[in-house]
Amino acid sequence: QSHYKQFTTQKGNDTMVKAKIDRNYKTADISNWNVRTFHDYLTDRTKEKYGVTYQPFGQGAISNRWRTEQGQIKNAAAKYGNVIVKAFIDECIRTYTPKAQYPFISFGYMIAYKVDEFPRVEAAAARVAERLSIAAKAHEEEVDTDWF
Protein backbone atom coordinates (compact mmCIF):
# COMPACT_ATOMS: atom_id res chain seq x y z
CA GLN A 1 0.00 0.00 0.00
CA SER A 2 1.38 3.35 -1.02
CA HIS A 3 1.75 6.03 1.62
CA TYR A 4 1.57 8.70 -1.04
CA LYS A 5 -1.50 10.36 -2.46
CA GLN A 6 -1.29 11.53 -6.03
CA PHE A 7 -2.83 14.77 -7.17
CA THR A 8 -2.60 16.85 -10.32
CA THR A 9 -1.94 20.51 -10.74
CA GLN A 10 -2.49 22.68 -13.77
CA LYS A 11 0.14 25.26 -14.68
CA GLY A 12 -0.51 26.92 -17.99
CA ASN A 13 -0.97 24.16 -20.54
CA ASP A 14 0.99 21.62 -18.47
CA THR A 15 -0.55 19.11 -16.12
CA MET A 16 1.75 17.83 -13.43
CA VAL A 17 1.23 14.78 -11.23
CA LYS A 18 2.66 15.19 -7.77
CA ALA A 19 2.85 12.86 -4.80
CA LYS A 20 1.98 14.00 -1.32
CA ILE A 21 2.92 12.01 1.78
CA ASP A 22 -0.08 10.48 3.53
CA ARG A 23 -0.30 12.03 7.02
CA ASN A 24 -3.49 10.28 8.15
CA TYR A 25 -2.41 8.39 11.27
CA LYS A 26 -4.82 5.56 10.48
CA THR A 27 -3.19 4.80 7.12
CA ALA A 28 0.24 6.44 7.10
CA ASP A 29 3.47 4.77 8.06
CA ILE A 30 4.52 6.09 11.47
CA SER A 31 7.78 7.36 10.00
CA ASN A 32 5.70 9.85 8.00
CA TRP A 33 3.84 11.27 10.99
CA ASN A 34 4.32 14.94 11.81
CA VAL A 35 3.03 17.26 14.54
CA ARG A 36 -0.40 17.50 12.89
CA THR A 37 -0.64 13.71 12.67
CA PHE A 38 0.20 13.36 16.36
CA HIS A 39 -2.41 15.97 17.29
CA ASP A 40 -5.03 14.15 15.18
CA TYR A 41 -4.08 10.93 16.96
CA LEU A 42 -4.30 12.59 20.40
CA THR A 43 -7.66 14.14 19.52
CA ASP A 44 -9.15 10.83 18.42
CA ARG A 45 -7.69 8.82 21.31
CA THR A 46 -8.96 11.42 23.83
CA LYS A 47 -12.49 11.29 22.40
CA GLU A 48 -12.38 7.47 22.28
CA LYS A 49 -10.96 6.89 25.78
CA TYR A 50 -12.36 9.82 27.78
CA GLY A 51 -15.33 11.01 25.70
CA VAL A 52 -14.17 14.64 25.67
CA THR A 53 -12.65 17.06 23.17
CA TYR A 54 -8.86 17.35 23.25
CA GLN A 55 -7.35 20.66 24.34
CA PRO A 56 -3.67 21.51 24.76
CA PHE A 57 -2.16 21.79 28.22
CA GLY A 58 -1.68 25.03 30.12
CA GLN A 59 -3.23 28.41 30.61
CA GLY A 60 -3.44 31.47 28.45
CA ALA A 61 -4.49 31.97 24.86
CA ILE A 62 -5.49 28.71 23.20
CA SER A 63 -3.42 29.52 20.10
CA ASN A 64 -0.29 29.87 22.25
CA ARG A 65 -1.04 26.59 23.98
CA TRP A 66 -1.40 24.81 20.62
CA ARG A 67 1.93 26.27 19.42
CA THR A 68 3.67 25.27 22.64
CA GLU A 69 2.41 21.72 22.37
CA GLN A 70 3.35 21.55 18.69
CA GLY A 71 6.89 22.49 19.65
CA GLN A 72 6.93 19.86 22.40
CA ILE A 73 5.80 17.14 19.99
CA LYS A 74 8.32 18.23 17.36
CA ASN A 75 11.16 18.18 19.90
CA ALA A 76 10.14 14.80 21.32
CA ALA A 77 9.91 13.26 17.82
CA ALA A 78 13.34 14.64 16.95
CA LYS A 79 14.86 13.31 20.17
CA TYR A 80 13.14 9.92 20.48
CA GLY A 81 11.63 9.15 17.05
CA ASN A 82 7.99 8.77 16.07
CA VAL A 83 7.63 5.15 17.20
CA ILE A 84 8.79 5.94 20.74
CA VAL A 85 6.67 9.12 20.96
CA LYS A 86 3.55 7.20 19.90
CA ALA A 87 4.34 4.43 22.41
CA PHE A 88 4.89 7.11 25.08
CA ILE A 89 1.49 8.66 24.31
CA ASP A 90 -0.19 5.26 24.37
CA GLU A 91 1.39 4.36 27.71
CA CYS A 92 0.46 7.72 29.27
CA ILE A 93 -3.14 7.38 28.07
CA ARG A 94 -3.28 3.76 29.25
CA THR A 95 -2.13 4.62 32.77
CA TYR A 96 -3.90 7.97 33.28
CA THR A 97 -6.80 8.06 35.72
CA PRO A 98 -9.23 10.85 34.83
CA LYS A 99 -10.11 13.37 37.51
CA ALA A 100 -13.05 15.77 37.70
CA GLN A 101 -10.83 18.78 37.07
CA TYR A 102 -8.63 16.97 34.52
CA PRO A 103 -10.83 14.52 32.58
CA PHE A 104 -8.09 13.63 30.05
CA ILE A 105 -4.33 13.78 29.62
CA SER A 106 -2.70 16.21 27.18
CA PHE A 107 0.72 15.98 25.59
CA GLY A 108 1.88 19.02 27.55
CA TYR A 109 0.92 17.26 30.78
CA MET A 110 2.70 14.11 29.61
CA ILE A 111 5.91 16.04 28.96
CA ALA A 112 5.67 17.97 32.22
CA TYR A 113 4.70 15.16 34.58
CA LYS A 114 5.17 11.80 32.82
CA VAL A 115 8.53 12.31 31.11
CA ASP A 116 9.94 9.44 33.19
CA GLU A 117 7.87 7.11 30.98
CA PHE A 118 10.22 7.74 28.02
CA PRO A 119 13.07 5.54 29.33
CA ARG A 120 10.61 2.74 30.13
CA VAL A 121 9.08 2.93 26.67
CA GLU A 122 12.54 3.00 25.07
CA ALA A 123 13.61 -0.04 27.10
CA ALA A 124 10.48 -1.95 26.11
CA ALA A 125 11.05 -1.09 22.44
CA ALA A 126 14.67 -2.23 22.71
CA ARG A 127 13.56 -5.57 24.20
CA VAL A 128 11.08 -6.08 21.36
CA ALA A 129 13.74 -5.18 18.77
CA GLU A 130 16.17 -7.63 20.37
CA ARG A 131 13.60 -10.45 20.32
CA LEU A 132 12.82 -9.71 16.66
CA SER A 133 16.52 -9.69 15.84
CA ILE A 134 17.05 -13.05 17.55
CA ALA A 135 14.03 -14.51 15.78
CA ALA A 136 15.22 -13.20 12.41
CA LYS A 137 18.70 -14.68 12.93
CA ALA A 138 17.20 -17.99 14.00
CA HIS A 139 15.01 -18.03 10.92
CA GLU A 140 17.98 -17.21 8.68
CA GLU A 141 19.93 -20.07 10.22
CA GLU A 142 16.86 -22.33 10.10
CA VAL A 143 17.16 -23.05 13.78
CA ASP A 144 14.22 -24.62 15.55
CA THR A 145 12.63 -21.60 17.27
CA ASP A 146 10.05 -23.58 19.25
CA TRP A 147 12.34 -23.62 22.27
CA PHE A 148 12.36 -19.78 22.53
Side-chain angles (χ1 to χ4, degrees), residues 17 24 52 55 72 75 77 83 87 90-91 95 107 122 139:
V17 176
N24 180 337
V52 297
Q55 291 291 314
Q72 291 169 330
N75 291 340
V83 171
D90 290 340
E91 182 62 13
T95 59
F107 193 80
E122 285 180 302
H139 182 71

Side-chain angles (χ1 to χ4, degrees), residues 10-15:
Q10 191 81 28
K11 187 175 185 178
N13 292 332
D14 298 329
T15 301

Side-chain angles (χ1 to χ4, degrees), residues 31-132:
S31 64
N32 291 327
W33 284 27
N34 63 9
V35 171
R36 181 74 225 158
T37 314
F38 276 109
H39 265 146
D40 290 347
Y41 181 70
L42 282 162
T43 299
D44 286 357
R45 287 294 316 270
T46 299
K47 190 64 146 176
E48 170 189 308
K49 173 99 182 201
Y50 308 111
V52 297
T53 302
Y54 185 82
Q55 291 291 314
F57 179 71
Q59 297 178 345
I62 190 79
S63 60
N64 291 341
R65 292 168 33 208
W66 280 112
R67 278 194 301 276
T68 298
E69 212 168 81
Q70 288 166 348
Q72 291 169 330
I73 291 170
K74 184 176 180 179
N75 291 340
K79 182 175 181 178
Y80 299 103
N82 288 357
V83 171
I84 299 298
V85 172
K86 181 182 178 292
F88 168 74
I89 290 168
D90 290 340
E91 182 62 13
C92 288
I93 288 173
R94 186 186 73 75
T95 59
Y96 183 72
T97 303
K99 295 155 184 69
Q101 189 176 358
Y102 306 107
F104 69 96
I105 187 168
S106 68
F107 193 80
Y109 182 92
M110 293 175 201
I111 288 293
Y113 299 105
K114 300 294 229 170
V115 73
D116 58 329
E117 290 294 335
F118 270 118
R120 286 191 274 277
V121 169
E122 285 180 302
R127 286 190 301 272
V128 169
E130 179 66 21
R131 284 194 300 267
L132 290 174

